[in-house]
Amino acid sequence: MCGIAGVWRKRDPIGSGDRRDVARMMQALAHRGPDDHGNWNNARLALGHRRLTIIDPSPAAREPMLTASGDGVLCYNGEVYNFRALRKTLQAEGLTFQSVSDTEVVLQALHHWGPQKAVPLFDGMFSFAYFDARDGALWLARDRLGIKPMSVAEIGDRVLFASEDKAILACHDFARRIDTRELTLRLAWQSRDSSYSVFDGIERLPPASLWRITGDGIDRRRFWHVLDVLDTTRIAGDRTSDAEHMATLRTLLEESVELHCIADASLATACSGGVDSGLITALAKRFRPEMHGYVIHQKLGRSEAPDAERTGRHVGVSLRRVPFDKDRFLELWPRAVWHLETDGWHASHAALLALAEQCRADGVKVLLTGEGSDELFGGYKWQASTIRVWRQSWLQRLFRSKARQDRKFAELRRAPFRNSIGRGSPTDRTMALRALSPELNFLQTKLFDRLEGVAPASDRAFLASCFYDLYSHLQDLLHRHDRLSMAASVELRVPFLENRLIDFALHLPRRQKLPRRNRQVAAEKGRRAPSAARKHSRRKERLRDGRGFFRRHAGPAARRCAARRNEMVCFRIGRPDRHGKKPGNVAPASRRHGNAAQALHEWRDDRRPDRGPACRGEKREIAKSWSRPARCLV
C-alpha cells in the first residue's frame, strides 16, 4: 500500500521543473507511505513513490522497481493477493525473482505477458503506472471495482497522475479551480458520487481502467465490466440448492480471507457486530490467531460496541473500543474533509478516521472490513423496494391490455430502480443523486437490458439495481475507506471484493438474495455468533430489507392502513366490518385508493400475516377479519 505520483511529457523532455513537481506530489502523499520513498525518471517520464511496507519490507521491494533489463518500470499502489500463484506460473516460464514481494510479481507479469493479458489475472486491489520502454508506452490501471484510487490531469504538454487529487494540486502550474457544476450538485443534494473530483481539470480513473498513453494521446480502455462478464443463462438457469450455494460461498469466503491475511505486518479487523464484519472477524481468526479487533464506541446514540463484543467473545477475538464523542468529531472533521477532498457531511467519516488513528497508534498496519457485501448480495432497502416498483397485482395483469402493459414496461425501463431519477420523492434525494451523472443514468437501462432472459421483470430490476450500486454507492464507500484509512497510514482490505466472490455473487438469482438478505452469509454467521449477536444481525437485516424497514419504522401506520383497507372491502361487498358497522356508501378513502379488491390483493402480497411473525393484539384481529372478505371475493 503506497502513494504514487508521476509526470508524463508528450513532446518536450522531462526537466527540473517536472522533477520538482514530483517531489511536491510525494510530499503531499507522505501520509500514504511514511516508511520509504523513491523516484525515477527518463526523457519522457518522472515517477515518485511513497511506501507503506506490508509485504516484504526489505530494500529489494523498493519502488519504482525496474526489470533486470531496465526496459520496464513499475510504480505500484495496493496488493495483488494471488501473487504467489502468479509467481509459480512465471517461474515455470523461466523467469527469476530477487524478492518475495508482490510488486516484483506484478512487474514481471506486466513485462512478460503484457498489460492486456496480465492485468485481468490480478486478484486484489491496485492502481499502478507501468512504463514499457520497448514501445515507449505508459500504462495506467486500476482494479476492477476501483478499491485503489488514481487521479489524472492533462495540462498542455503534460499528463499528471497521482493517488490523490491534492498531489496534483501541489504542482506549480496547475490552476486550483473548483468545478462549479460539481459544487452546485453537492450543495443542492448534499452528496455526490465520489467518482468525480470537485476540482476542475482533474479526472479520476474509472474502475477497471487500463489506459495506454503515448505521444499520440490517451487510449482509454477497460479490462472488466459487469456488462461484459455477465452471463444471464447462469442466472436464469440456476437450479442449485441453497445448501450447495452456501457451501460454495463458505469455501470462497474462507479462501478470500486467507489471501487477505497475507501480510508481514500487524493485522486487525473492524467489527461492528453485524453479519458481514462479524463473519470476516470469525474467519480471519483462523489464519491470524493473535489478531484483535476494533469497534467504534460512540457516546451519543446507540453504540454497536456491546453487540460487537459479544461476537468477539464467541469467536475468541478481543475487541478494543475506540471512544468517539462530539468533541472528538469536531476535532477530526476538518481533517476528514481535507483527506476526502470532498464534503465530509457524514458522521461516520470522522469516526473512521478515529478508528484508523487508533490502529496506527497500536502498531496495526492492516485492517479487514466487511464492505461490499451489501452491494453484491442485495442488502440495502432501496434494492428490495425496486421489486415493488415492478410488481403488478393479479387484477392489473388480468385487465390491462397488452398495449398498455408494453407502455408501462417501456416507462419503467427508462427508470428501472426505486432510486432512479424521476421516481423518488424529496426524501430520496441522496439516492437519486447518482442518476444525475449521465454515464450512470444510462448504465441503469443498460444493466436492465443486459439481464434480458431473467424473469420476472421484478427480479431483473432487483439484480440490475445491485449491479448498479457497484458503480455508484460502493464507489463512495471505497473512496471514503481509502482516503481516511490511509490518512493514518493504515491499509484497509475488503475480502468480499475478491474476484471469484464477485463472479459468484453476480450470478446468484434473486431468490438467493431475497426475501432474506443473503441466506448463505446469515446461515454461516449463525453458526459462529451467539444468540445476542444473531439478534443484532437480524435487526440490521430487517432495517436493510424493505419489509423489515416497513415493519420497524411504520408499524402503527401499517396496521391502520391494513384495517382501513379491510373496512373498504367490507363496505364494497356488503358485509359488516370488524367494528360491526353496517355497509353503506363506499368511503371516499376507497375511491382514493382505487379498486378495493385490488388494494386487498396488494396488501395480501406485501404483508400477509401468515408469512411473518405471530400476530399480536390488533394485528391478530386484522388477520381474522382479513380472511373473511378474501373468501367473499373468491
Side-chain angles (χ1 to χ4, degrees):
M1 180 63 67
C2 309
I4 63 177
V7 177
W8 167 267
R9 279 284 183 179
K10 299 178 183 178
R11 288 174 292 274
D12 298 334
I14 290 290
S16 59
D18 299 314
R19 290 191 289 270
R20 285 194 295 269
D21 275 345
V22 170
R24 293 188 187 100
M25 288 194 279
M26 290 172 62
Q27 183 61 35
L29 298 174
H31 54 279
R32 298 189 69 93
D35 298 335
D36 197 3
H37 63 88
N39 56 73
W40 174 92
N41 72 272
N42 69 355
R44 301 289 297 277
L45 176 66
L47 295 173
H49 186 266
R50 300 291 312 205
R51 186 183 182 197
L52 178 65
T53 54
I54 302 293
I55 298 176
D56 188 3
S58 71
R62 291 188 68 185
E63 299 180 49
M65 183 178 286
L66 279 70
T67 59
S69 64
D71 291 336
V73 185
L74 176 67
C75 199
Y76 161 63
N77 168 31
E79 312 287 355
V80 170
Y81 301 113
N82 64 334
F83 73 97
R84 290 173 178 168
L86 293 174
R87 180 190 180 106
K88 291 179 181 178
T89 303
L90 291 166
Q91 286 175 330
E93 297 182 12
L95 276 72
T96 59
F97 293 84
Q98 306 301 317
S99 72
V100 294
S101 70
D102 62 326
T103 304
E104 188 177 8
V105 174
V106 171
L107 173 60
Q108 295 280 32
L110 291 170
H111 198 67
H112 182 66
W113 291 326
Q116 290 179 288
K117 178 182 177 181
V119 174
L121 301 176
F122 296 160
D123 189 356
M125 55 180 188
F126 57 84
S127 63
F128 64 76
Y130 165 69
F131 177 68
D132 192 340
R134 293 172 298 186
D135 62 0
L138 171 67
W139 296 82
L140 302 181
R142 196 177 177 200
D143 61 81
R144 60 181 56 187
L145 287 180
I147 304 172
K148 291 292 103 189
M150 173 82 79
S151 297
V152 181
E154 191 172 2
I155 311 170
D157 185 46
R158 303 201 304 170
V159 177
L160 311 174
F161 55 91
S163 295
E164 299 182 10
D165 296 354
K166 60 178 66 66
I168 294 177
L169 295 175
C171 295
H172 77 279
D173 63 345
F174 187 83
R176 300 185 180 186
R177 294 192 301 266
I178 294 294
D179 187 322
T180 54
R181 180 177 181 273
E182 286 294 318
L183 182 61
T184 301
L185 290 173
R186 291 171 190 272
L187 291 174
W189 294 94
Q190 301 299 302
S191 180
R192 179 65 170 144
D193 191 332
S194 57
S195 298
Y196 304 90
S197 173
V198 297
F199 300 105
D200 190 27
I202 295 181
E203 181 179 3
R204 291 176 180 168
L205 245 66
S209 289
L210 184 58
W211 289 8
R212 184 175 185 268
I213 304 176
T214 63
D216 298 329
I218 301 177
D219 180 12
R220 291 169 167 81
R221 312 176 183 180
R222 71 184 184 199
F223 65 89
W224 188 92
H225 197 281
V226 170
L227 291 170
D228 302 329
V229 302
L230 202 59
D231 183 0
T232 56
T233 58
R234 284 177 58 184
I235 302 173
D238 186 278
R239 299 295 181 268
T240 308
S241 66
D242 287 358
E244 291 175 297
H245 274 311
M246 186 166 61
T248 301
L249 179 59
R250 186 186 304 120
T251 300
L252 292 175
L253 269 175
E254 290 173 352
E255 293 176 355
S256 176
V257 172
E258 183 179 12
L259 289 174
H260 282 74
C261 285
I262 297 174
D264 297 323
S266 181
L267 179 146
T269 66
C271 183
S272 66
V275 172
D276 310 324
S277 61
L279 177 57
I280 297 301
T281 300
L283 293 175
K285 174 68 175 178
R286 297 182 181 181
F287 310 108
R288 301 293 289 252
E290 79 287 355
M291 179 199 72
H292 63 272
Y294 291 93
V295 60
I296 291 291
H297 177 45
Q298 58 194 45
K299 301 298 181 66
L300 297 175
R302 183 180 181 277
S303 174
E304 293 183 327
D307 296 306
E309 287 170 345
R310 292 187 190 98
T311 301
R313 284 194 298 270
H314 185 73
V315 301
V317 175
S318 63
L319 291 187
R320 302 180 184 180
R321 293 192 178 195
V322 179
F324 188 74
D325 55 16
K326 181 181 68 175
D327 294 336
R328 185 67 169 149
F329 170 81
L330 295 175
E331 174 191 350
L332 293 177
W333 181 60
R335 289 177 50 204
V337 173
W338 187 82
H339 283 288
L340 286 169
E341 301 167 335
T342 181
D343 47 272
W345 59 273
H346 202 284
S348 64
H349 295 165
L352 180 56
L353 181 56
L355 176 62
E357 289 190 345
Q358 186 61 54
C359 290
R360 189 61 181 177
D362 294 342
V364 173
K365 286 188 175 182
V366 180
L367 192 67
L368 304 185
T369 73
E371 297 296 342
S373 62
D374 289 318
E375 288 78 10
L376 288 174
F377 294 99
Y380 292 118
K381 62 183 178 67
W382 60 79
Q383 296 166 341
S385 64
T386 291
I387 292 180
R388 293 194 289 274
V389 172
W390 286 83
R391 180 179 293 156
Q392 295 186 66
S393 68
W394 63 271
L395 284 176
Q396 289 173 325
R397 292 192 297 270
L398 180 63
F399 293 111
R400 276 185 177 174
S401 66
K402 180 66 166 58
R404 186 177 178 188
Q405 291 185 30
D406 290 344
R407 287 196 302 270
K408 184 65 175 178
F409 180 88
E411 176 187 337
L412 289 174
R413 176 183 166 273
R414 289 191 293 270
F417 310 147
R418 175 63 181 85
N419 57 346
S420 295
I421 189 169
R423 183 172 301 286
S425 66
T427 60
D428 298 319
R429 290 182 190 176
T430 56
M431 293 187 294
L433 168 67
R434 288 159 175 77
L436 292 177
S437 303
E439 300 85 356
L440 293 179
N441 196 24
F442 296 140
L443 180 61
Q444 296 180 1
T445 302
K446 289 180 180 179
L447 287 169
F448 182 80
D449 291 345
R450 184 66 179 80
L451 285 163
E452 185 177 4
V454 176
S458 58
D459 286 13
R460 186 174 163 187
F462 167 79
L463 294 175
S465 178
C466 296
F467 303 157
Y468 173 74
D469 282 337
L470 295 175
Y471 295 96
S472 55
H473 185 263
L474 182 62
Q475 297 306 306
D476 287 338
L477 297 181
L478 295 177
H479 172 84
R480 177 186 70 185
H481 279 62
D482 174 81
R483 292 293 200 270
L484 297 177
S485 63
M486 290 306 296
S489 306
V490 173
E491 177 178 282
L492 195 147
R493 297 180 176 180
V494 281
F496 276 105
L497 300 183
E498 189 265 345
N499 288 359
R500 292 171 300 165
L501 262 175
I502 294 170
D503 180 76
F504 172 81
L506 289 181
H507 294 95
L508 277 180
R510 192 274 312 163
R511 69 177 185 277
Q512 299 293 341
K513 302 181 180 182
L514 281 177
R516 287 186 299 170
R517 169 195 161 265
N518 185 3
R519 304 174 184 179
Q520 295 91 345
V521 172
E524 183 75 13
K525 174 65 176 174
R527 281 191 292 274
R528 288 176 167 81
S531 59
R534 291 198 300 269
K535 291 178 181 177
H536 172 69
S537 299
R538 286 195 293 270
R539 285 198 299 270
K540 294 183 75 173
E541 282 186 39
R542 289 194 295 270
L543 284 171
R544 288 169 174 161
D545 180 79
R547 286 168 291 184
F549 183 87
F550 185 86
R551 292 191 187 105
R552 177 74 176 269
H553 294 285
R559 290 192 292 271
R560 289 193 295 271
C561 180
R564 186 59 183 143
R565 286 187 174 183
N566 193 52
E567 290 169 6
M568 286 157 35
V569 175
C570 293
F571 271 90
R572 180 64 63 91
I573 65 177
R575 291 193 57 175
D577 65 8
R578 63 190 178 93
H579 299 296
K581 188 183 295 185
K582 296 297 182 182
N585 294 329
V586 176
S590 66
R591 289 194 294 270
R592 291 196 299 270
H593 286 283
N595 185 281
Q598 176 181 331
L600 174 66
H601 174 79
E602 293 173 351
W603 172 254
R604 289 178 65 180
D605 279 353
D606 293 345
R607 300 288 181 269
R608 280 193 62 170
D610 60 340
R611 293 182 183 174
C615 298
R616 296 184 180 90
E618 186 179 4
K619 282 187 176 180
R620 184 180 290 109
E621 290 191 24
I622 294 173
K624 291 177 181 177
S625 60
W626 173 85
S627 61
R628 292 195 297 269
R631 285 194 295 270
C632 294
L633 288 171
V634 173

